PDB file of all heavy atoms in Angstrom:
ATOM      1  N   VAL N 680      25.948  -6.000 -45.991  1.00  0.00           N
ATOM      2  CA  VAL N 680      24.549  -5.986 -45.562  1.00  0.00           C
ATOM      3  C   VAL N 680      24.071  -4.561 -45.349  1.00  0.00           C
ATOM      4  O   VAL N 680      22.989  -4.167 -45.803  1.00  0.00           O
ATOM      5  CB  VAL N 680      24.404  -6.823 -44.273  1.00  0.00           C
ATOM      6  CG1 VAL N 680      23.038  -6.640 -43.677  1.00  0.00           C
ATOM      7  CG2 VAL N 680      24.672  -8.274 -44.546  1.00  0.00           C
ATOM      8  N   LEU N 681      24.900  -3.748 -44.683  1.00  0.00           N
ATOM      9  CA  LEU N 681      24.513  -2.354 -44.435  1.00  0.00           C
ATOM     10  C   LEU N 681      24.375  -1.589 -45.743  1.00  0.00           C
ATOM     11  O   LEU N 681      23.431  -0.809 -45.929  1.00  0.00           O
ATOM     12  CB  LEU N 681      25.556  -1.667 -43.542  1.00  0.00           C
ATOM     13  CG  LEU N 681      25.474  -2.005 -42.059  1.00  0.00           C
ATOM     14  CD1 LEU N 681      26.661  -1.424 -41.325  1.00  0.00           C
ATOM     15  CD2 LEU N 681      24.195  -1.464 -41.467  1.00  0.00           C
ATOM     16  N   LEU N 682      25.306  -1.823 -46.682  1.00  0.00           N
ATOM     17  CA  LEU N 682      25.232  -1.137 -47.978  1.00  0.00           C
ATOM     18  C   LEU N 682      23.967  -1.541 -48.728  1.00  0.00           C
ATOM     19  O   LEU N 682      23.284  -0.701 -49.321  1.00  0.00           O
ATOM     20  CB  LEU N 682      26.447  -1.489 -48.829  1.00  0.00           C
ATOM     21  CG  LEU N 682      27.743  -0.759 -48.513  1.00  0.00           C
ATOM     22  CD1 LEU N 682      28.791  -1.157 -49.518  1.00  0.00           C
ATOM     23  CD2 LEU N 682      27.532   0.722 -48.549  1.00  0.00           C
ATOM     24  N   ALA N 683      23.656  -2.847 -48.674  1.00  0.00           N
ATOM     25  CA  ALA N 683      22.458  -3.318 -49.372  1.00  0.00           C
ATOM     26  C   ALA N 683      21.225  -2.638 -48.821  1.00  0.00           C
ATOM     27  O   ALA N 683      20.348  -2.186 -49.564  1.00  0.00           O
ATOM     28  CB  ALA N 683      22.339  -4.836 -49.223  1.00  0.00           C
ATOM     29  N   GLY N 684      21.155  -2.537 -47.485  1.00  0.00           N
ATOM     30  CA  GLY N 684      19.987  -1.909 -46.872  1.00  0.00           C
ATOM     31  C   GLY N 684      19.907  -0.437 -47.201  1.00  0.00           C
ATOM     32  O   GLY N 684      18.839   0.102 -47.481  1.00  0.00           O
ATOM     33  N   TRP N 685      21.063   0.235 -47.204  1.00  0.00           N
ATOM     34  CA  TRP N 685      21.077   1.684 -47.426  1.00  0.00           C
ATOM     35  C   TRP N 685      20.760   2.015 -48.876  1.00  0.00           C
ATOM     36  O   TRP N 685      19.952   2.898 -49.159  1.00  0.00           O
ATOM     37  CB  TRP N 685      22.454   2.234 -47.042  1.00  0.00           C
ATOM     38  CG  TRP N 685      22.632   3.660 -47.416  1.00  0.00           C
ATOM     39  CD1 TRP N 685      23.360   4.144 -48.439  1.00  0.00           C
ATOM     40  CD2 TRP N 685      22.020   4.772 -46.770  1.00  0.00           C
ATOM     41  NE1 TRP N 685      23.246   5.505 -48.482  1.00  0.00           N
ATOM     42  CE2 TRP N 685      22.432   5.918 -47.476  1.00  0.00           C
ATOM     43  CE3 TRP N 685      21.171   4.928 -45.695  1.00  0.00           C
ATOM     44  CZ2 TRP N 685      22.006   7.180 -47.122  1.00  0.00           C
ATOM     45  CZ3 TRP N 685      20.756   6.178 -45.331  1.00  0.00           C
ATOM     46  CH2 TRP N 685      21.178   7.302 -46.044  1.00  0.00           C
ATOM     47  N   SER N 686      21.370   1.289 -49.803  1.00  0.00           N
ATOM     48  CA  SER N 686      21.258   1.686 -51.201  1.00  0.00           C
ATOM     49  C   SER N 686      19.927   1.267 -51.822  1.00  0.00           C
ATOM     50  O   SER N 686      19.575   1.756 -52.880  1.00  0.00           O
ATOM     51  CB  SER N 686      22.406   1.079 -52.006  1.00  0.00           C
ATOM     52  OG  SER N 686      22.318  -0.320 -51.955  1.00  0.00           O
ATOM     53  N   SER N 687      19.169   0.388 -51.159  1.00  0.00           N
ATOM     54  CA  SER N 687      17.919  -0.077 -51.760  1.00  0.00           C
ATOM     55  C   SER N 687      16.828   0.981 -51.754  1.00  0.00           C
ATOM     56  O   SER N 687      15.828   0.829 -52.438  1.00  0.00           O
ATOM     57  CB  SER N 687      17.391  -1.293 -51.012  1.00  0.00           C
ATOM     58  OG  SER N 687      18.262  -2.361 -51.150  1.00  0.00           O
ATOM     59  N   ASN N 688      16.996   2.030 -50.939  1.00  0.00           N
ATOM     60  CA  ASN N 688      15.983   3.082 -50.855  1.00  0.00           C
ATOM     61  C   ASN N 688      14.633   2.484 -50.453  1.00  0.00           C
ATOM     62  O   ASN N 688      13.612   2.710 -51.079  1.00  0.00           O
ATOM     63  CB  ASN N 688      15.872   3.814 -52.184  1.00  0.00           C
ATOM     64  CG  ASN N 688      15.062   5.076 -52.048  1.00  0.00           C
ATOM     65  OD1 ASN N 688      14.938   5.605 -50.954  1.00  0.00           O
ATOM     66  ND2 ASN N 688      14.500   5.539 -53.145  1.00  0.00           N
ATOM     67  N   ASN N 689      14.656   1.679 -49.401  1.00  0.00           N
ATOM     68  CA  ASN N 689      13.459   0.964 -48.989  1.00  0.00           C
ATOM     69  C   ASN N 689      13.493   0.871 -47.475  1.00  0.00           C
ATOM     70  O   ASN N 689      14.526   0.599 -46.886  1.00  0.00           O
ATOM     71  CB  ASN N 689      13.517  -0.435 -49.638  1.00  0.00           C
ATOM     72  CG  ASN N 689      12.380  -1.323 -49.233  1.00  0.00           C
ATOM     73  OD1 ASN N 689      11.857  -1.214 -48.134  1.00  0.00           O
ATOM     74  ND2 ASN N 689      12.008  -2.216 -50.104  1.00  0.00           N
ATOM     75  N   LYS N 690      12.338   1.123 -46.844  1.00  0.00           N
ATOM     76  CA  LYS N 690      12.312   1.159 -45.374  1.00  0.00           C
ATOM     77  C   LYS N 690      12.642  -0.202 -44.786  1.00  0.00           C
ATOM     78  O   LYS N 690      13.413  -0.318 -43.833  1.00  0.00           O
ATOM     79  CB  LYS N 690      10.931   1.584 -44.888  1.00  0.00           C
ATOM     80  CG  LYS N 690      10.590   3.018 -45.195  1.00  0.00           C
ATOM     81  CD  LYS N 690       9.289   3.372 -44.508  1.00  0.00           C
ATOM     82  CE  LYS N 690       8.674   4.613 -45.111  1.00  0.00           C
ATOM     83  NZ  LYS N 690       7.986   4.355 -46.395  1.00  0.00           N
ATOM     84  N   TYR N 691      12.051  -1.239 -45.366  1.00  0.00           N
ATOM     85  CA  TYR N 691      12.294  -2.585 -44.838  1.00  0.00           C
ATOM     86  C   TYR N 691      13.776  -2.926 -44.890  1.00  0.00           C
ATOM     87  O   TYR N 691      14.348  -3.464 -43.944  1.00  0.00           O
ATOM     88  CB  TYR N 691      11.527  -3.617 -45.649  1.00  0.00           C
ATOM     89  CG  TYR N 691      10.045  -3.546 -45.522  1.00  0.00           C
ATOM     90  CD1 TYR N 691       9.225  -3.700 -46.622  1.00  0.00           C
ATOM     91  CD2 TYR N 691       9.459  -3.340 -44.290  1.00  0.00           C
ATOM     92  CE1 TYR N 691       7.863  -3.654 -46.507  1.00  0.00           C
ATOM     93  CE2 TYR N 691       8.092  -3.291 -44.161  1.00  0.00           C
ATOM     94  CZ  TYR N 691       7.299  -3.452 -45.274  1.00  0.00           C
ATOM     95  OH  TYR N 691       5.950  -3.405 -45.154  1.00  0.00           O
ATOM     96  N   SER N 692      14.386  -2.627 -46.033  1.00  0.00           N
ATOM     97  CA  SER N 692      15.798  -2.953 -46.198  1.00  0.00           C
ATOM     98  C   SER N 692      16.630  -2.224 -45.170  1.00  0.00           C
ATOM     99  O   SER N 692      17.520  -2.806 -44.541  1.00  0.00           O
ATOM    100  CB  SER N 692      16.263  -2.550 -47.583  1.00  0.00           C
ATOM    101  OG  SER N 692      15.518  -3.191 -48.551  1.00  0.00           O
ATOM    102  N   LEU N 693      16.315  -0.943 -44.972  1.00  0.00           N
ATOM    103  CA  LEU N 693      17.132  -0.137 -44.065  1.00  0.00           C
ATOM    104  C   LEU N 693      16.984  -0.651 -42.638  1.00  0.00           C
ATOM    105  O   LEU N 693      17.978  -0.813 -41.925  1.00  0.00           O
ATOM    106  CB  LEU N 693      16.717   1.326 -44.170  1.00  0.00           C
ATOM    107  CG  LEU N 693      17.676   2.288 -43.486  1.00  0.00           C
ATOM    108  CD1 LEU N 693      19.061   2.142 -44.072  1.00  0.00           C
ATOM    109  CD2 LEU N 693      17.194   3.703 -43.602  1.00  0.00           C
ATOM    110  N   ILE N 694      15.736  -0.938 -42.227  1.00  0.00           N
ATOM    111  CA  ILE N 694      15.538  -1.434 -40.859  1.00  0.00           C
ATOM    112  C   ILE N 694      16.266  -2.757 -40.680  1.00  0.00           C
ATOM    113  O   ILE N 694      16.947  -2.981 -39.680  1.00  0.00           O
ATOM    114  CB  ILE N 694      14.029  -1.585 -40.559  1.00  0.00           C
ATOM    115  CG1 ILE N 694      13.375  -0.220 -40.542  1.00  0.00           C
ATOM    116  CG2 ILE N 694      13.820  -2.255 -39.222  1.00  0.00           C
ATOM    117  CD1 ILE N 694      11.873  -0.282 -40.456  1.00  0.00           C
ATOM    118  N   GLY N 695      16.150  -3.635 -41.675  1.00  0.00           N
ATOM    119  CA  GLY N 695      16.821  -4.932 -41.588  1.00  0.00           C
ATOM    120  C   GLY N 695      18.318  -4.769 -41.482  1.00  0.00           C
ATOM    121  O   GLY N 695      18.973  -5.410 -40.661  1.00  0.00           O
ATOM    122  N   ALA N 696      18.885  -3.859 -42.289  1.00  0.00           N
ATOM    123  CA  ALA N 696      20.334  -3.668 -42.273  1.00  0.00           C
ATOM    124  C   ALA N 696      20.780  -3.100 -40.941  1.00  0.00           C
ATOM    125  O   ALA N 696      21.801  -3.512 -40.390  1.00  0.00           O
ATOM    126  CB  ALA N 696      20.736  -2.743 -43.412  1.00  0.00           C
ATOM    127  N   MET N 697      20.005  -2.157 -40.392  1.00  0.00           N
ATOM    128  CA  MET N 697      20.402  -1.553 -39.115  1.00  0.00           C
ATOM    129  C   MET N 697      20.353  -2.587 -38.002  1.00  0.00           C
ATOM    130  O   MET N 697      21.223  -2.640 -37.142  1.00  0.00           O
ATOM    131  CB  MET N 697      19.471  -0.384 -38.771  1.00  0.00           C
ATOM    132  CG  MET N 697      19.699   0.817 -39.639  1.00  0.00           C
ATOM    133  SD  MET N 697      21.395   1.371 -39.466  1.00  0.00           S
ATOM    134  CE  MET N 697      21.610   2.281 -40.941  1.00  0.00           C
ATOM    135  N   ARG N 698      19.322  -3.418 -38.026  1.00  0.00           N
ATOM    136  CA  ARG N 698      19.247  -4.484 -37.024  1.00  0.00           C
ATOM    137  C   ARG N 698      20.444  -5.397 -37.137  1.00  0.00           C
ATOM    138  O   ARG N 698      21.066  -5.768 -36.140  1.00  0.00           O
ATOM    139  CB  ARG N 698      17.997  -5.325 -37.266  1.00  0.00           C
ATOM    140  CG  ARG N 698      16.744  -4.703 -36.756  1.00  0.00           C
ATOM    141  CD  ARG N 698      15.654  -5.697 -37.019  1.00  0.00           C
ATOM    142  NE  ARG N 698      14.370  -5.198 -36.593  1.00  0.00           N
ATOM    143  CZ  ARG N 698      13.273  -5.925 -36.676  1.00  0.00           C
ATOM    144  NH1 ARG N 698      13.332  -7.131 -37.182  1.00  0.00           N
ATOM    145  NH2 ARG N 698      12.124  -5.447 -36.260  1.00  0.00           N
ATOM    146  N   SER N 699      20.772  -5.729 -38.386  1.00  0.00           N
ATOM    147  CA  SER N 699      21.892  -6.628 -38.615  1.00  0.00           C
ATOM    148  C   SER N 699      23.181  -6.005 -38.096  1.00  0.00           C
ATOM    149  O   SER N 699      24.004  -6.680 -37.471  1.00  0.00           O
ATOM    150  CB  SER N 699      21.993  -6.921 -40.101  1.00  0.00           C
ATOM    151  OG  SER N 699      23.155  -7.597 -40.371  1.00  0.00           O
ATOM    152  N   GLY N 700      23.331  -4.696 -38.316  1.00  0.00           N
ATOM    153  CA  GLY N 700      24.531  -4.015 -37.828  1.00  0.00           C
ATOM    154  C   GLY N 700      24.635  -4.106 -36.321  1.00  0.00           C
ATOM    155  O   GLY N 700      25.657  -4.531 -35.776  1.00  0.00           O
ATOM    156  N   ALA N 701      23.533  -3.758 -35.614  1.00  0.00           N
ATOM    157  CA  ALA N 701      23.543  -3.808 -34.149  1.00  0.00           C
ATOM    158  C   ALA N 701      23.856  -5.215 -33.669  1.00  0.00           C
ATOM    159  O   ALA N 701      24.633  -5.422 -32.732  1.00  0.00           O
ATOM    160  CB  ALA N 701      22.187  -3.363 -33.612  1.00  0.00           C
ATOM    161  N   GLN N 702      23.271  -6.181 -34.353  1.00  0.00           N
ATOM    162  CA  GLN N 702      23.424  -7.579 -33.956  1.00  0.00           C
ATOM    163  C   GLN N 702      24.872  -8.039 -34.114  1.00  0.00           C
ATOM    164  O   GLN N 702      25.445  -8.638 -33.197  1.00  0.00           O
ATOM    165  CB  GLN N 702      22.496  -8.381 -34.841  1.00  0.00           C
ATOM    166  CG  GLN N 702      22.432  -9.832 -34.551  1.00  0.00           C
ATOM    167  CD  GLN N 702      21.436 -10.485 -35.482  1.00  0.00           C
ATOM    168  OE1 GLN N 702      20.502  -9.846 -35.947  1.00  0.00           O
ATOM    169  NE2 GLN N 702      21.635 -11.737 -35.761  1.00  0.00           N
ATOM    170  N   ILE N 703      25.465  -7.746 -35.270  1.00  0.00           N
ATOM    171  CA  ILE N 703      26.799  -8.285 -35.526  1.00  0.00           C
ATOM    172  C   ILE N 703      27.824  -7.594 -34.657  1.00  0.00           C
ATOM    173  O   ILE N 703      28.733  -8.234 -34.124  1.00  0.00           O
ATOM    174  CB  ILE N 703      27.129  -8.193 -37.027  1.00  0.00           C
ATOM    175  CG1 ILE N 703      26.187  -9.125 -37.782  1.00  0.00           C
ATOM    176  CG2 ILE N 703      28.554  -8.587 -37.290  1.00  0.00           C
ATOM    177  CD1 ILE N 703      26.430  -9.229 -39.228  1.00  0.00           C
ATOM    178  N   VAL N 704      27.661  -6.256 -34.458  1.00  0.00           N
ATOM    179  CA  VAL N 704      28.610  -5.542 -33.605  1.00  0.00           C
ATOM    180  C   VAL N 704      28.573  -6.130 -32.197  1.00  0.00           C
ATOM    181  O   VAL N 704      29.602  -6.346 -31.559  1.00  0.00           O
ATOM    182  CB  VAL N 704      28.293  -4.033 -33.607  1.00  0.00           C
ATOM    183  CG1 VAL N 704      29.030  -3.337 -32.503  1.00  0.00           C
ATOM    184  CG2 VAL N 704      28.671  -3.438 -34.940  1.00  0.00           C
ATOM    185  N   SER N 705      27.370  -6.460 -31.690  1.00  0.00           N
ATOM    186  CA  SER N 705      27.284  -7.014 -30.339  1.00  0.00           C
ATOM    187  C   SER N 705      27.858  -8.412 -30.275  1.00  0.00           C
ATOM    188  O   SER N 705      28.636  -8.722 -29.381  1.00  0.00           O
ATOM    189  CB  SER N 705      25.831  -7.077 -29.867  1.00  0.00           C
ATOM    190  OG  SER N 705      25.148  -5.945 -30.247  1.00  0.00           O
ATOM    191  N   TYR N 706      27.479  -9.264 -31.223  1.00  0.00           N
ATOM    192  CA  TYR N 706      27.821 -10.673 -31.073  1.00  0.00           C
ATOM    193  C   TYR N 706      29.253 -10.979 -31.475  1.00  0.00           C
ATOM    194  O   TYR N 706      29.774 -12.026 -31.138  1.00  0.00           O
ATOM    195  CB  TYR N 706      26.824 -11.538 -31.851  1.00  0.00           C
ATOM    196  CG  TYR N 706      25.575 -11.767 -31.053  1.00  0.00           C
ATOM    197  CD1 TYR N 706      24.576 -10.826 -31.002  1.00  0.00           C
ATOM    198  CD2 TYR N 706      25.425 -12.914 -30.293  1.00  0.00           C
ATOM    199  CE1 TYR N 706      23.452 -11.007 -30.234  1.00  0.00           C
ATOM    200  CE2 TYR N 706      24.313 -13.113 -29.524  1.00  0.00           C
ATOM    201  CZ  TYR N 706      23.329 -12.162 -29.505  1.00  0.00           C
ATOM    202  OH  TYR N 706      22.224 -12.350 -28.736  1.00  0.00           O
ATOM    203  N   GLU N 707      29.888 -10.035 -32.198  1.00  0.00           N
ATOM    204  CA  GLU N 707      31.292 -10.213 -32.548  1.00  0.00           C
ATOM    205  C   GLU N 707      32.131 -10.386 -31.284  1.00  0.00           C
ATOM    206  O   GLU N 707      33.084 -11.170 -31.253  1.00  0.00           O
ATOM    207  CB  GLU N 707      31.752  -8.985 -33.334  1.00  0.00           C
ATOM    208  CG  GLU N 707      33.007  -9.183 -34.129  1.00  0.00           C
ATOM    209  CD  GLU N 707      32.831 -10.237 -35.180  1.00  0.00           C
ATOM    210  OE1 GLU N 707      31.779 -10.224 -35.863  1.00  0.00           O
ATOM    211  OE2 GLU N 707      33.722 -11.064 -35.308  1.00  0.00           O
ATOM    212  N   LEU N 708      31.745  -9.654 -30.220  1.00  0.00           N
ATOM    213  CA  LEU N 708      32.455  -9.744 -28.943  1.00  0.00           C
ATOM    214  C   LEU N 708      32.441 -11.166 -28.415  1.00  0.00           C
ATOM    215  O   LEU N 708      33.475 -11.710 -28.019  1.00  0.00           O
ATOM    216  CB  LEU N 708      31.753  -8.847 -27.923  1.00  0.00           C
ATOM    217  CG  LEU N 708      32.190  -7.405 -27.838  1.00  0.00           C
ATOM    218  CD1 LEU N 708      31.240  -6.670 -26.936  1.00  0.00           C
ATOM    219  CD2 LEU N 708      33.585  -7.345 -27.278  1.00  0.00           C
ATOM    220  N   SER N 709      31.257 -11.780 -28.422  1.00  0.00           N
ATOM    221  CA  SER N 709      31.145 -13.115 -27.856  1.00  0.00           C
ATOM    222  C   SER N 709      31.911 -14.123 -28.683  1.00  0.00           C
ATOM    223  O   SER N 709      32.561 -15.013 -28.134  1.00  0.00           O
ATOM    224  CB  SER N 709      29.678 -13.537 -27.796  1.00  0.00           C
ATOM    225  OG  SER N 709      29.101 -12.953 -26.681  1.00  0.00           O
ATOM    226  N   VAL N 710      31.835 -13.974 -30.023  1.00  0.00           N
ATOM    227  CA  VAL N 710      32.580 -14.895 -30.876  1.00  0.00           C
ATOM    228  C   VAL N 710      34.062 -14.793 -30.556  1.00  0.00           C
ATOM    229  O   VAL N 710      34.743 -15.802 -30.322  1.00  0.00           O
ATOM    230  CB  VAL N 710      32.327 -14.574 -32.364  1.00  0.00           C
ATOM    231  CG1 VAL N 710      33.250 -15.373 -33.232  1.00  0.00           C
ATOM    232  CG2 VAL N 710      30.900 -14.851 -32.725  1.00  0.00           C
ATOM    233  N   GLY N 711      34.561 -13.552 -30.492  1.00  0.00           N
ATOM    234  CA  GLY N 711      35.978 -13.345 -30.215  1.00  0.00           C
ATOM    235  C   GLY N 711      36.388 -13.927 -28.887  1.00  0.00           C
ATOM    236  O   GLY N 711      37.359 -14.677 -28.793  1.00  0.00           O
ATOM    237  N   LEU N 712      35.603 -13.608 -27.824  1.00  0.00           N
ATOM    238  CA  LEU N 712      36.002 -14.058 -26.480  1.00  0.00           C
ATOM    239  C   LEU N 712      35.954 -15.580 -26.365  1.00  0.00           C
ATOM    240  O   LEU N 712      36.815 -16.169 -25.720  1.00  0.00           O
ATOM    241  CB  LEU N 712      35.100 -13.413 -25.437  1.00  0.00           C
ATOM    242  CG  LEU N 712      35.495 -11.991 -25.062  1.00  0.00           C
ATOM    243  CD1 LEU N 712      34.456 -11.385 -24.156  1.00  0.00           C
ATOM    244  CD2 LEU N 712      36.840 -11.983 -24.369  1.00  0.00           C
ATOM    245  N   SER N 713      34.954 -16.201 -27.006  1.00  0.00           N
ATOM    246  CA  SER N 713      34.885 -17.657 -26.870  1.00  0.00           C
ATOM    247  C   SER N 713      36.027 -18.324 -27.619  1.00  0.00           C
ATOM    248  O   SER N 713      36.539 -19.358 -27.176  1.00  0.00           O
ATOM    249  CB  SER N 713      33.536 -18.187 -27.359  1.00  0.00           C
ATOM    250  OG  SER N 713      33.329 -17.802 -28.679  1.00  0.00           O
ATOM    251  N   LEU N 714      36.489 -17.700 -28.727  1.00  0.00           N
ATOM    252  CA  LEU N 714      37.656 -18.265 -29.415  1.00  0.00           C
ATOM    253  C   LEU N 714      38.929 -18.010 -28.611  1.00  0.00           C
ATOM    254  O   LEU N 714      39.830 -18.845 -28.581  1.00  0.00           O
ATOM    255  CB  LEU N 714      37.777 -17.685 -30.817  1.00  0.00           C
ATOM    256  CG  LEU N 714      36.739 -18.186 -31.824  1.00  0.00           C
ATOM    257  CD1 LEU N 714      36.926 -17.495 -33.145  1.00  0.00           C
ATOM    258  CD2 LEU N 714      36.848 -19.676 -32.008  1.00  0.00           C
ATOM    259  N   ILE N 715      38.968 -16.849 -27.926  1.00  0.00           N
ATOM    260  CA  ILE N 715      40.144 -16.523 -27.105  1.00  0.00           C
ATOM    261  C   ILE N 715      40.313 -17.568 -26.012  1.00  0.00           C
ATOM    262  O   ILE N 715      41.436 -17.956 -25.674  1.00  0.00           O
ATOM    263  CB  ILE N 715      39.978 -15.109 -26.521  1.00  0.00           C
ATOM    264  CG1 ILE N 715      40.134 -14.104 -27.647  1.00  0.00           C
ATOM    265  CG2 ILE N 715      40.958 -14.874 -25.384  1.00  0.00           C
ATOM    266  CD1 ILE N 715      41.113 -13.063 -27.473  1.00  0.00           C
ATOM    267  N   THR N 716      39.182 -18.050 -25.474  1.00  0.00           N
ATOM    268  CA  THR N 716      39.260 -19.086 -24.444  1.00  0.00           C
ATOM    269  C   THR N 716      40.095 -20.265 -24.927  1.00  0.00           C
ATOM    270  O   THR N 716      40.905 -20.811 -24.186  1.00  0.00           O
ATOM    271  CB  THR N 716      37.835 -19.574 -24.113  1.00  0.00           C
ATOM    272  OG1 THR N 716      36.987 -18.452 -24.023  1.00  0.00           O
ATOM    273  CG2 THR N 716      37.803 -20.330 -22.823  1.00  0.00           C
ATOM    274  N   ILE N 717      39.865 -20.640 -26.201  1.00  0.00           N
ATOM    275  CA  ILE N 717      40.587 -21.787 -26.743  1.00  0.00           C
ATOM    276  C   ILE N 717      42.002 -21.398 -27.143  1.00  0.00           C
ATOM    277  O   ILE N 717      42.926 -22.196 -27.032  1.00  0.00           O
ATOM    278  CB  ILE N 717      39.807 -22.383 -27.933  1.00  0.00           C
ATOM    279  CG1 ILE N 717      38.459 -22.901 -27.446  1.00  0.00           C
ATOM    280  CG2 ILE N 717      40.574 -23.510 -28.584  1.00  0.00           C
ATOM    281  CD1 ILE N 717      38.553 -23.942 -26.372  1.00  0.00           C
ATOM    282  N   VAL N 718      42.164 -20.134 -27.576  1.00  0.00           N
ATOM    283  CA  VAL N 718      43.512 -19.683 -27.938  1.00  0.00           C
ATOM    284  C   VAL N 718      44.412 -19.732 -26.708  1.00  0.00           C
ATOM    285  O   VAL N 718      45.582 -20.127 -26.785  1.00  0.00           O
ATOM    286  CB  VAL N 718      43.450 -18.269 -28.551  1.00  0.00           C
ATOM    287  CG1 VAL N 718      44.845 -17.684 -28.657  1.00  0.00           C
ATOM    288  CG2 VAL N 718      42.804 -18.322 -29.910  1.00  0.00           C
TER     289      VAL N 718
END
Side-chain angles (χ1 to χ4, degrees):
Chain N
V680 170
L681 282 172
L682 281 184
W685 172 255
S686 62
S687 295
N688 192 22
N689 177 330
K690 292 187 198 78
Y691 293 139
S692 301
L693 192 58
I694 293 172
M697 288 301 158
R698 281 183 181 183
S699 171
Q702 184 178 333
I703 294 184
V704 166
S705 319
Y706 278 81
E707 198 62 44
L708 271 171
S709 280
V710 171
L712 279 173
S713 57
L714 287 177
I715 289 234
T716 317
I717 297 302
V718 168

